[in-house]
Amino acid sequence: MKIEFNEDEEIVKTIQEGLKKNDGYCPCRMEKNKDTKCMCKEFREQIQDPKFEGYCHCMLYYKQK
């Protein structure tokens, strides 16, 4: 398993700026709680699935099998 940033540097830059403005909470989510703090609960659960390969919700991270 390997987790890396999206290859599109513009997406990474935009999401990282949003994270800074949002105190580390996913800029794609309305609520701010422990489940939406980057790396969000949804993606943490997805990376535990050995069959999952793909991007997190906001497209910042990509998990390879």
Side-chain angles (χ1 to χ4, degrees), residues 9-28:
E9 292 178 14
E10 193 61 35
I11 289 175
V12 172
K13 179 181 171 187
T14 300
I15 297 300
Q16 287 179 331
E17 288 172 357
L19 286 167
K20 286 179 188 175
K21 291 178 186 175
N22 215 18
D23 296 323
Y25 293 95
C26 181
C28 305

Side-chain angles (χ1 to χ4, degrees), residues 3 6-7 10 14 19 23-24 26 28 30-31 33 43 49-51 53 55 61-63:
I3 299 171
N6 189 323
E7 292 180 356
E10 193 61 35
T14 300
L19 286 167
D23 296 323
C26 181
C28 305
M30 295 298 293
E31 60 277 340
N33 59 46
F43 192 58
D49 179 356
K51 297 176 187 172
E53 181 169 354
Y55 290 100
Y61 296 109
Y62 185 83
K63 180 206 169 198

Side-chain angles (χ1 to χ4, degrees), residues 17-58:
E17 288 172 357
L19 286 167
K20 286 179 188 175
K21 291 178 186 175
N22 215 18
D23 296 323
Y25 293 95
C26 181
C28 305
R29 306 281 187 179
M30 295 298 293
E31 60 277 340
K32 290 183 180 181
N33 59 46
K34 66 180 181 163
D35 294 341
T36 62
K37 189 84 167 182
C38 190
M39 184 174 286
C40 70
K41 179 182 178 185
E42 177 184 4
F43 192 58
R44 290 190 314 263
E45 290 175 352
Q46 288 173 322
I47 61 178
Q48 297 303 316
D49 179 356
K51 297 176 187 172
F52 175 78
E53 181 169 354
Y55 290 100
C56 67
H57 176 80
C58 66

